[in-house]
Amino acid sequence: MARRDTLTNLFNRAHFNEWIQRQTKHAALCKIPLSFIMIDVDDFKKINDSFGHITGDEVLKTVARCIASSIRSSDFAARYGGDEFIVVLHDASEKQAEQIAQRIREKVAVSKELGLNVDISYGVAELEPGADHLKVLQKADEAMYRMKKAKKAPLDIQG
């Protein structure tokens, strides 16, 4: 089975599922934290519907390049599915993950390759050595959806 997503050249979800099992055991033995970043392209369906799937594919490739250029060789990035990505930072705190996620978001925002404005939402969570990675992954996913929802909420202006 191929380990890479053919569109983005990041690892695929199947490889992530294998890799994370080994990595969490290693991190627990060495008492090293791992931090997760879940990333989702905002309004991706609207991009596909308005500009076509070829443009949608270019958006995914651009986001993947921004991710790959923002992480270290010891870190891990995969296309999690559709327009979602997962990043696992080796020996990094939640605060460090937040900084890297913001860097990725800024790179996507200033990317001129596409000729359109693209934004991402993200959520971060730290996996303490020995903790259940699925719970931490869910925590990052929930944080990503909170960010996405907050962007769509109307402003509460006090008068």
Side-chain angles (χ1 to χ4, degrees):
M1 181 196 282
R3 296 167 54 175
R4 297 253 176 206
D5 174 65
T6 56
L7 181 65
T8 64
N9 202 37
L10 295 179
F11 289 111
N12 60 30
R13 185 173 181 168
H15 181 62
F16 166 76
N17 289 338
E18 281 179 30
W19 178 87
I20 196 65
Q21 299 293 326
R22 293 188 310 272
Q23 205 56 36
T24 53
K25 288 176 187 169
H26 179 263
L29 283 172
C30 297
K31 300 192 182 341
I32 297 171
L34 300 174
S35 286
F36 291 27
I37 306 171
M38 286 294 294
I39 297 171
D40 185 80
V41 179
D42 292 346
D43 300 316
F44 187 68
K45 182 179 180 341
K46 191 183 295 183
I47 292 169
N48 274 338
D49 291 348
S50 300
F51 301 100
H53 291 277
I54 292 172
T55 299
D57 287 351
E58 291 304 315
V59 167
L60 296 176
K61 289 191 261 187
T62 297
V63 171
R65 281 193 293 276
C66 292
I67 291 169
S69 68
S70 299
I71 62 174
R72 305 165 294 183
S73 61
S74 61
D75 299 328
F76 183 94
R79 183 172 176 198
Y80 199 66
D83 62 324
E84 287 191 339
F85 299 86
I86 180 76
V87 178
V88 181
L89 304 172
H90 179 77
D91 197 14
S93 68
E94 190 168 331
K95 182 179 179 184
Q96 291 167 313
E98 179 72 35
Q99 292 168 342
I100 291 170
Q102 186 57 38
R103 183 182 322 146
I104 294 166
R105 184 176 183 208
E106 289 166 3
K107 284 183 178 186
V108 169
V110 300
S111 175
K112 300 298 179 211
E113 299 170 43
L114 300 167
L116 54 116
N117 295 325
V118 176
D119 196 8
I120 61 169
S121 293
Y122 63 83
V124 300
E126 184 177 338
L127 175 71
E128 296 291 336
D132 180 359
H133 77 276
L134 292 175
K135 288 182 181 174
V136 178
L137 187 61
Q138 182 176 358
K139 182 180 172 188
D141 198 43
E142 289 168 356
M144 177 190 70
Y145 279 104
R146 279 194 305 276
M147 179 183 222
K148 191 174 275 297
K149 186 177 179 183
K151 288 179 185 180
K152 293 183 186 219
L155 293 176
D156 183 20
I157 301 173
Q158 301 292 322

